[in-house]
Amino acid sequence: MTALLTVLFGRLPIGWLQLKHNRTRFAAAIAGVAFANVLIFMQLGFLGALVESTRLPYHPMMADILISASDANTLSDGSNIPRQRLYQTLNVSGVADATAVYLGKFDWQQDNGSTVNFQVFGIDPDRKIFNLPGVETARGRLRLLDMALMDRKARNLDPSTLSTIDAGDIFSFEVNGRTLNTVGTFSIGGGFDADGYLIVSDQTFLRIFPNRTAGAPTHIFVTVAQGADPEIVVERLRQSIAADDVIVRTIEDAAKADEVYQTTEKPVGLIFGFGVIIGVMVGLIIVYQVLSTDVADHLAEYATLKAVGYKQSFFLSIVFEEALILAIFGFIPGVLISLGLYEFVASATGLPVSMTEWRPVAVLLGTILMCIASGAIATRRLAGANPADLF
Amino acid sequence: MKSIFLKRDTGPTTPASATRADEPPIVIEGLNHWFGSGEARKQVLYDLNLTIERGKLVILMGASGSGKTTLLTLAGCLRTVQEGSVHLLGHELNGADEDLLVTCRRQMGFIFQAHNLHESLTAMQNVRMGLDVHGAQVTTDWQAAASHLLTLLGLGDRLDYLPGNLSGGQKQRVAVARALVGNPYIVFADEPTAALDKESGYQVVHLLKQLGTERNTTTFMVTHDNRILEMADRIITMEEGRIVKDEIQDGWQGS
Ligand SMILES: Nc1ncnc2c1ncn2[C@@H]1O[C@H](COP(=O)(O)OP(=O)(O)OP(=O)(O)O)[C@@H](O)[C@H]1O
Ligand SMILES: [Mg+2]
């Protein structure tokens, strides 16, 4: 290792030799960097899960444009909108089709005692709304009242429920005084707002939620005519509807706005974002502590080298060498532990917590940067000093 | 006798090229120095004037606290000159910028009161640090140079020892090797033999003398060691920040 580094740097790898010389401190420093890495990875994992789970229900939507209440920050938190807007929409050129979609939530108390919080979509069973395999094949069966399709990735779902449905049987359960018959499944997966999704017909929806009316859906899903530019149609819709009780956006824009709201305005998002900052700060403090102690311990030796004629850049390079070694040695256990924790959290919460390909790269680069910044600060003491004053 | 010292690099940028061969390497004029600031400000050097000739072994003596180390570090560009002039190898150190200081330091060898070896580097690697500073062309044969010098100082069987496994005297000799391996124009030494027994102290001073005759290297040394005084070309005595005695020894050949 020493010989390799000597060739690599074109000088003695003093940083490496120095770190290696004090093994206990070296191990503690690596553990510190690894800890900071795990902290950052976990917060980024949660943040990523928040983004991913927010976007999950948007992915399979086949519409091009979403018309929602103007106070809607997320898919489900907006007011209802007047059905009148649907008719206005159908009159705009470039619109191929439009359909009202109803959203509501309920808690289902399972026989095993645990609760599943479902986000329910009430849709027109004659229209293609979701590009989901299970939905397209079973959509026709929703025309009968009280039929439902269930999210098989819903959190806390009793496994026997799925095996019943998968065996071809109908799984029935009670909600708001009505019996719902589950005739199929699909996969979306829950997030921070709900445990999972349920798809029913609009007629069934209005029976489960008696205080909702057909005249006030949650969204209008708009499909543009073949060859029409959704952006242009959005503009036309805004002009011709000209009502301030709705906002018209492409699905992608709506998903993006939802994501931004979740991560920057909702407490969960803020907490995770703040957690990342805390992780970076903990890492900075640990690395700075290690490097500045190291510089302080070797001050007389550095002063001697300064007296021999070594420049400040030489001492910086030693400390950067140490910083780089700490960053890399700490990163490896950090990323491995995080991968294990991701797996654990994902299976324990059902949240889409997983490693993206850019995240390790970003964290490693961030760690190196963090270490180098600490190193630069730690060597400042050497910069202006007279060698004679440092012995 | 084959020289043990590496070839000096004498490129056009080295300070040596700025001096003529007969020009004294150290010229000090009207040097005053203070420590502390405000009320605590205390003068430790008073109007020193001193010219040191090339190739000589010059010894600085004086009671503890008389200012020997201060003078040595000022002349060796390890401390910022406050008032007066220090002319080193043709360069004025008063007001010198960091680049000039670095260039000057690379022409010096400094042996300190404390050895200050890198604890994580072996004896050989510590000596190498005295060479690496000069850049690649000097360091090609660093191993031969470093081991030869260490062997000469009686450390031939300790080349790969870490300082932690060496005695105080052995560490001091490694520090001597580090200072000399770069083949400096001037060697500043602050009580280099204090930690050494009679025999190795003699070896060190002999080496410095050899540098003087063979390479015209100047040595400016603080010592209380009577055995060394005999070998000196000139003995300067300080008292409370002033030069009170300046004796030229037998065998001195003025330039
Ligand atoms: N960094 C400093 N700050 C303040 N005063 C100092 C400092 N270094 C030295 N002094 C003072 O300057 C005076 C000269 O010190 P110096 O170290 O030059 O003496 P010295 O002759 O080398 O002594 P010794 O033989 O004990 O090494 C002393 O009075 C000392 O207390
Ligand atoms: Mg002293």
Side-chain angles (χ1 to χ4, degrees):
Chain A
M1 184 79 177
T2 305
L4 176 78
L5 290 175
T6 307
V7 174
L8 215 63
F9 296 152
R11 63 162 169 82
L12 280 176
I14 296 177
W16 161 250
L17 292 170
Q18 234 158 244
L19 285 174
K20 212 170 57 135
H21 192 67
N22 193 338
R23 276 162 208 273
T24 332
R25 189 193 289 168
F26 191 24
I30 290 173
V33 174
F35 173 73
N37 271 327
V38 169
L39 216 60
I40 295 169
F41 269 123
M42 288 323 287
Q43 299 301 328
L44 285 176
F46 288 134
L47 206 56
L50 179 60
V51 169
E52 177 65 15
S53 67
T54 299
R55 283 180 165 273
L56 277 177
Y58 291 94
H59 285 316
M61 289 179 186
M62 296 182 79
D64 302 297
I65 296 165
L66 196 63
I67 300 177
S68 322
S70 51
D71 62 357
N73 291 309
T74 72
L75 190 62
S76 57
D77 76 349
S79 311
N80 305 327
I81 57 178
R83 196 176 179 83
Q84 171 67 17
R85 305 282 169 252
L86 174 62
Y87 307 131
Q88 287 176 298
T89 300
L90 288 166
N91 280 331
V92 172
S93 81
V95 172
D97 193 20
T99 178
V101 174
Y102 302 80
L103 261 76
K105 247 185 228 171
F106 69 77
D107 286 332
W108 168 39
Q109 178 95 34
Q110 297 176 107
D111 288 343
N112 68 9
S114 72
T115 304
V116 181
N117 179 249
F118 274 122
Q119 177 69 254
V120 187
F121 282 104
I123 62 165
D124 178 350
D126 290 323
R127 283 187 158 88
K128 282 184 152 192
I129 306 264
F130 291 109
N131 183 21
L132 288 166
V135 177
E136 270 316 287
T137 49
R139 181 159 54 92
R141 300 182 71 182
L142 295 180
R143 287 191 197 104
L144 285 177
L145 268 185
D146 298 334
M147 297 298 172
L149 303 174
M150 193 183 279
D151 185 354
R152 41 187 320 125
K153 283 195 184 159
R155 192 179 306 139
N156 294 338
L157 202 57
D158 190 333
S160 69
T161 305
L162 285 179
S163 47
T164 307
I165 305 167
D166 290 342
D169 295 331
I170 291 173
F171 177 83
S172 301
F173 64 100
E174 191 102 344
V175 53
N176 291 350
R178 295 193 72 87
T179 302
L180 277 181
N181 306 304
T182 314
V183 293
T185 62
F186 58 92
S187 291
I188 293 182
F192 289 81
D193 281 341
D195 293 327
Y197 296 87
L198 203 69
I199 298 176
V200 300
S201 73
D202 39 14
Q203 295 308 311
T204 307
F205 182 92
L206 295 172
R207 281 172 171 75
I208 313 172
F209 299 98
N211 55 347
R212 297 289 296 269
T213 64
T218 315
H219 298 285
I220 296 163
F221 282 31
V222 182
T223 311
V224 301
Q226 193 134 33
D229 180 353
E231 301 284 354
I232 293 170
V233 179
V234 162
E235 214 32 65
R236 278 192 211 135
L237 281 166
R238 282 179 187 153
Q239 273 163 23
S240 72
I241 294 174
D244 52 15
D245 55 359
V246 290
I247 34 173
V248 184
R249 292 170 298 188
T250 61
I251 297 279
E252 177 47 38
D253 286 349
K256 184 79 217 163
D258 195 345
E259 177 191 321
V260 169
Y261 177 77
Q262 299 273 4
T263 50
T264 62
E265 287 189 48
K266 282 189 90 175
V268 262
L270 289 176
I271 286 169
F272 296 150
F274 195 63
V276 175
I277 295 171
I278 298 272
V280 170
M281 275 166 49
V282 167
L284 264 175
I285 290 167
I286 291 173
V287 177
Y288 174 72
Q289 203 58 46
V290 170
L291 292 179
S292 66
T293 315
D294 200 72
V295 169
D297 282 359
H298 295 100
L299 209 56
E301 294 159 36
Y302 288 146
T304 309
L305 293 182
K306 193 169 175 169
V308 170
Y310 285 96
K311 293 183 181 168
Q312 181 66 9
S313 57
F314 176 79
F315 304 112
L316 263 185
S317 81
I318 292 179
V319 175
F320 284 175
E321 177 191 332
E322 295 191 332
L324 205 64
I325 290 168
L326 287 179
I328 293 168
F329 277 51
F331 173 79
I332 294 167
V335 77
L336 292 177
I337 293 168
S338 302
L339 279 171
L341 284 175
Y342 276 8
E343 199 121 313
F344 172 75
V345 171
S347 74
T349 64
L351 289 170
V353 181
S354 63
M355 195 64 87
T356 57
E357 62 265 32
W358 58 265
R359 194 177 296 153
V361 179
V363 170
L364 179 60
L365 288 181
T367 308
I368 290 173
L369 223 68
M370 175 166 98
C371 289
I372 283 180
S374 308
I377 302 170
T379 43
R380 263 191 332 194
R381 230 179 120 180
L382 267 169
N386 273 318
D389 288 331
L390 299 173
F391 297 138
Chain B
M1 182 182 161
K2 184 181 173 291
S3 172
I4 55 156
F5 305 108
L6 283 191
K7 232 180 108 226
R8 232 172 232 164
D9 66 74
T10 45
T13 55
T14 60
S17 59
T19 12
R20 292 197 325 274
D22 56 350
E23 196 175 317
I26 307 173
V27 180
I28 293 169
E29 284 168 345
L31 182 66
N32 288 301
H33 200 79
W34 291 263
F35 279 117
S37 56
E39 285 284 294
R41 188 166 152 96
K42 186 182 133 219
Q43 187 159 7
V44 295
L45 295 184
Y46 298 85
D47 190 32
L48 299 188
N49 294 286
L50 186 63
T51 298
I52 290 178
E53 306 295 330
R54 188 175 293 271
K56 304 297 180 199
L57 172 58
V58 179
I59 285 186
L60 190 56
M61 288 177 59
S64 179
S66 57
K68 304 182 296 291
T69 300
T70 310
L71 173 57
L72 214 62
T73 50
L74 281 167
C77 39
L78 302 186
R79 203 181 273 294
T80 311
V81 177
Q82 292 169 346
E83 197 182 293
S85 156
V86 174
H87 225 65
L88 191 71
L89 297 170
H91 290 281
E92 178 54 55
L93 295 187
N94 192 346
D97 62 9
E98 190 67 24
D99 280 345
L100 179 58
L101 291 178
V102 164
T103 316
C104 284
R105 284 170 192 158
R106 289 183 182 179
Q107 313 301 320
M108 317 287 136
F110 220 111
I111 306 167
F112 306 90
Q113 261 174 313
H115 59 80
N116 293 331
L117 296 181
H118 258 268
E119 289 297 325
S120 53
L121 302 185
T122 64
M124 283 284 277
Q125 289 170 331
N126 265 294
V127 174
R128 179 178 174 172
M129 293 313 295
L131 273 179
D132 274 357
V133 71
H134 297 285
Q137 76 277 15
V138 189
T139 55
T140 35
D141 204 17
W142 76 272
Q143 265 176 324
S147 68
H148 191 155
L149 203 46
L150 283 169
T151 308
L152 216 69
L153 287 162
L155 294 172
D157 55 347
R158 298 282 189 279
L159 297 182
D160 295 319
Y161 277 48
L162 289 174
N165 301 327
L166 295 173
S167 73
Q170 290 168 333
K171 281 189 262 207
Q172 186 65 357
R173 278 179 278 160
V174 175
V176 169
R178 178 178 58 191
L180 300 188
V181 73
N183 191 16
Y185 286 90
I186 308 172
V187 176
F188 294 93
D190 201 344
E191 304 197 34
T193 58
L196 301 180
D197 57 64
K198 190 174 175 195
E199 181 56 28
S200 34
Y202 177 79
Q203 279 172 347
V204 168
V205 182
H206 176 76
L207 211 56
L208 291 171
K209 281 290 271 191
Q210 191 190 340
L211 272 171
T213 48
E214 194 187 304
R215 292 274 173 176
N216 233 6
T217 300
T218 309
T219 300
F220 192 15
M221 183 193 292
V222 173
T223 189
H224 299 288
D225 197 332
N226 287 324
R227 299 161 301 175
I228 297 172
L229 297 184
E230 299 164 9
M231 302 168 79
D233 294 312
R234 180 177 173 191
I235 299 173
I236 298 166
T237 311
M238 286 185 74
E239 221 168 80
E240 290 174 357
R242 293 182 173 87
I243 293 174
V244 292
K245 208 152 75 171
D246 192 344
E247 305 160 289
I248 288 167
Q249 299 298 103
D250 294 345
W252 164 271
Q253 280 131 30
S255 45

